[in-house]
Amino acid sequence: MDLINITLCNHLTELVISCDHNGIIGYANPAAQRWSETPLEGRPFPALLTPESGHKGELFLEVARRASCQEPTLPWELTLGTATRYTVANFHGYSDNGCIVIIGQVEPGETTEMQHELLQLTSELAEAQREQRRQNRILQQTLHEQQRLLKTIHDLTAPAVPLWEGVLLLPLVGQIDSHRANAIAGELLQRVSAGRARYVILDVSGIALVDTAVARHLIDMAQMLRLLGAQPVLVGINPEIAQTLVHLGLNLFDFITVYSDVQHAVAYVLRKMKEVTL
Amino acid sequence: MTLHSVYDDYLEALKQGDRRQALRVAQKTLTEGTDIRDLYLDVFQPAMHEVGRLWETNQMTVAQEHLATAITQSVMAHLYGYVFAHTAVGRTLIATCIGGELHELGIRMVSDFFEMEGWEVYYLGANMPPDDVIRMATDRDADLLAISVTLNSHVPYARELIQAVRAAPIGAKLKIMVGGQPINRAPDLCKTMGADFTASNAREAVQLATEVLV
């Protein structure tokens, strides 16, 4: 290349490279050399590119070898830089006197940057969805666990213990609301009629809070038991329950037998059963 | 059922950059009874290889290739809703890839396959520093580390990562799997890199991992 051309090339922002017929670089202007740490002269053209573009660079050389100055190749995108951080450049090439002349224009840095960012964004979104799926699975699992617990609790609603034939013990624990009271009553009546129970010991010492509503439920339950021919025996009445029941103004003792604890209640039931058999 | 025509339609949608069409094609195939794994291996994977080839022969731009990658990634995420989640198997996979985001689709497919089989999967993104990989593997008490390598020039990075992981306490129990084109071409690389095993595709990866981790 003559002097004036070389001076011109030194000042161009475009990459200018000239290769021999085999694609070995004979000249690279400073704009091209900037992309390589080692001198480009004497190395094959793909050495300028990132490894991704290696094979594409070979294909491009082949096309450029057949192109003429009047009709250079179409623009070819090749990547420069490092394997992990590349920049896209558009290259034209043509053959001239056994030389392959290659001119490249680097895409504005922002464009490449933007594409990287967009791709990263897609990637992050896809991962966020994976995280979402993970959370959903955990929720599902928790829900499943909870349903199992609820079922257990439901099964324990009316834990009627058959003490012996015809005698049931029902220890009531926890909060009683009307919903639960109904469930207990339903379950209990089933058991009583199925087991032909004649005595039901209702232990209310484990009930958390007794208000008039709960007291009414208890009385209802006792009355229903009577209708089925079973004798309710109430035990474990604490001072609050006593007050509440009295405030209701009902004469309980017509249909309920009351004892302070389970032992006394059992003794009573045993006595009664003996009387009946006698 | 042959997936050739699905592949053609899907590739065409990628070339057009039409993500709605791409999703329609994939959804239709799935609702017609195709297993999502077949869709991954016989449609998405070859279509993305073809996109790479089109770029290499100057028939597609980098921007179009990026778009095709993004489309396939979003389609994969959409389809996941159709997957019947396997019950948890109590295994954890940490996955990472050496190279740019443009190359992470393969390891993403692998990650999805493991997730479908009931594994806990954490994908760390591309080019994670070894310390971060070790921290994550330790925090999650991972069973398997999957490293995707897309180019020969990435092999040294992967080897360094494996060495660092092996030197860490978690390295004693953690199995390491490598995959990607360079290793598919030269399977011996797997051993010289210091990995436990390699697989040529996502399905095989799950199979081998299950055998290795008995």
Side-chain angles (χ1 to χ4, degrees):
Chain A
M1 263 199 245
D2 54 42
L3 196 64
I4 184 148
N5 270 353
I6 288 183
T7 316
L8 197 66
C9 286
N10 281 344
H11 290 91
L12 284 177
T13 51
E14 281 84 4
L15 285 61
V16 182
I17 295 148
S18 126
C19 301
D20 69 10
H21 191 70
N22 294 318
I24 304 298
I25 298 173
Y27 167 79
N29 74 341
Q33 184 58 58
R34 204 171 71 75
W35 293 96
S36 170
E37 280 171 11
T38 50
L40 285 168
E41 274 92 358
R43 296 171 65 209
F45 170 68
L48 168 70
L49 312 169
T50 64
E52 274 113 328
S53 285
H55 184 236
K56 188 173 182 180
E58 305 272 2
L59 296 176
F60 166 69
L61 270 181
E62 256 170 59
V63 179
R65 205 173 279 137
R66 293 192 303 268
S68 69
C69 184
Q70 286 78 31
E71 256 185 279
T73 63
L74 292 168
W76 278 61
E77 270 187 349
L78 297 166
T79 49
L80 308 169
T82 63
T84 51
R85 214 71 188 143
Y86 57 82
T87 303
V88 178
N90 275 300
F91 287 88
H92 297 265
Y94 58 87
S95 233
D96 187 22
N97 285 329
C99 267
I100 304 170
V101 179
I102 298 164
I103 297 153
Q105 206 164 20
V106 176
E107 198 180 69
E110 309 90 84
T111 313
T112 311
E113 197 55 38
M114 214 153 70
Q115 287 192 7
H116 275 300
E117 285 299 311
L118 279 176
L119 210 54
Q120 200 147 9
L121 194 66
T122 321
S123 167
E124 278 169 20
L125 279 175
E127 274 329 289
Q129 275 168 316
R130 194 192 302 284
E131 191 52 41
Q132 187 72 56
R133 293 199 292 267
R134 196 195 318 284
Q135 297 301 334
N136 282 350
R137 277 199 300 270
I138 294 171
L139 271 180
Q140 283 292 333
Q141 217 180 333
T142 317
L143 200 69
H144 189 78
E145 191 78 357
Q146 214 164 46
Q147 278 167 343
R148 222 172 44 80
L149 277 174
L150 278 176
K151 196 184 170 302
T152 312
I153 290 173
H154 180 82
D155 290 347
L156 290 173
T157 298
V161 186
L163 286 185
W164 60 88
E165 221 185 313
V167 184
L168 281 178
L169 170 65
L170 185 76
L172 291 171
V173 287
Q175 297 279 354
I176 307 249
D177 54 19
S178 62
H179 178 77
R180 199 175 157 219
N182 281 333
I184 294 172
E187 185 83 4
L188 181 63
L189 298 180
Q190 282 289 330
R191 295 255 203 145
V192 165
S193 96
R196 293 171 198 273
R198 285 167 44 226
Y199 296 93
V200 177
I201 304 171
L202 292 163
D203 181 1
V204 298
S205 58
I207 297 180
L209 185 87
V210 179
D211 55 12
T212 47
V214 174
R216 260 183 222 288
H217 287 307
L218 281 175
I219 292 158
D220 287 349
M221 220 181 284
Q223 278 177 322
M224 286 186 244
L225 288 171
R226 283 309 290 262
L227 283 173
L228 284 176
Q231 168 69 49
V233 183
L234 204 54
V235 299
I237 291 186
N238 60 27
E240 288 85 32
I241 302 185
Q243 278 186 340
T244 317
L245 287 175
V246 169
H247 278 304
L248 279 174
L250 287 163
N251 195 358
L252 294 173
F253 305 102
D254 283 351
F255 57 92
I256 300 182
T257 312
V258 180
Y259 281 93
S260 61
D261 55 39
V262 177
Q263 284 98 308
H264 284 99
V266 170
Y268 160 76
V269 168
L270 275 175
R271 232 173 22 245
K272 290 293 273 187
M273 286 181 78
K274 221 179 253 168
E275 275 172 26
V276 171
T277 37
L278 284 173
Chain B
M1 185 185 145
T2 170
L3 287 175
H4 285 306
S5 66
V6 178
Y7 165 80
D8 289 341
D9 292 347
Y10 187 78
L11 181 63
E12 191 51 38
L14 287 187
K15 284 191 200 168
Q16 302 295 330
D18 188 341
R19 77 189 152 88
R20 286 187 188 81
Q21 177 61 12
L23 183 59
R24 258 198 302 275
V25 170
Q27 268 172 336
K28 185 169 174 289
T29 315
L30 213 57
T31 49
E32 282 168 1
T34 300
D35 186 79
I36 191 167
R37 296 166 187 83
D38 292 333
L39 205 56
Y40 270 49
L41 294 182
D42 298 337
V43 176
F44 300 157
Q45 190 171 315
M48 290 312 295
H49 281 162
E50 178 61 11
V51 165
R53 198 194 64 82
L54 288 171
W55 175 76
E56 206 161 70
T57 51
N58 209 36
Q59 298 173 70
M60 236 190 193
T61 63
V62 170
Q64 283 174 303
E65 199 187 7
H66 279 190
L67 184 57
T69 305
I71 288 174
T72 300
Q73 220 161 75
S74 82
V75 167
M76 276 163 43
H78 262 287
L79 295 186
Y80 212 97
Y82 290 79
V83 177
F84 177 76
H86 195 288
T87 46
V89 293
R91 294 271 186 213
T92 301
L93 169 77
I94 300 279
T96 184
C97 124
I98 313 281
E101 284 81 29
L102 201 51
H103 301 297
E104 62 176 28
L105 211 64
I107 186 74
R108 236 171 230 297
M109 287 192 181
V110 172
S111 303
D112 284 4
F113 269 55
F114 275 90
E115 196 181 330
M116 286 178 215
E117 296 304 320
W119 284 56
E120 278 294 316
V121 176
Y122 296 90
Y123 177 70
L124 300 188
N127 302 321
M128 269 286 161
D131 282 352
D132 289 5
V133 175
I134 292 168
R135 191 175 316 122
M136 192 70 171
T138 311
D139 287 353
R140 303 295 177 193
D141 192 26
D143 300 286
L144 182 66
L145 169 67
I147 306 168
S148 161
V149 183
T150 36
L151 293 166
N152 275 320
S153 58
H154 295 152
V155 170
Y157 292 99
R159 187 180 291 128
E160 275 172 37
L161 173 59
I162 293 173
Q163 271 167 5
V165 172
R166 294 277 195 221
I170 186 78
K173 72 161 258 204
L174 193 66
K175 297 287 178 196
I176 301 177
M177 166 173 79
V178 288
Q181 292 296 340
I183 299 147
N184 287 351
R185 281 193 293 267
D188 287 350
L189 267 180
C190 164
K191 289 288 164 225
T192 58
M193 284 165 75
D196 291 302
F197 65 100
T198 178
S200 58
N201 66 45
R203 185 174 280 141
E204 197 185 270
V206 175
Q207 262 166 21
L208 289 176
T210 314
E211 286 166 25
V212 167
L213 282 162
V214 168

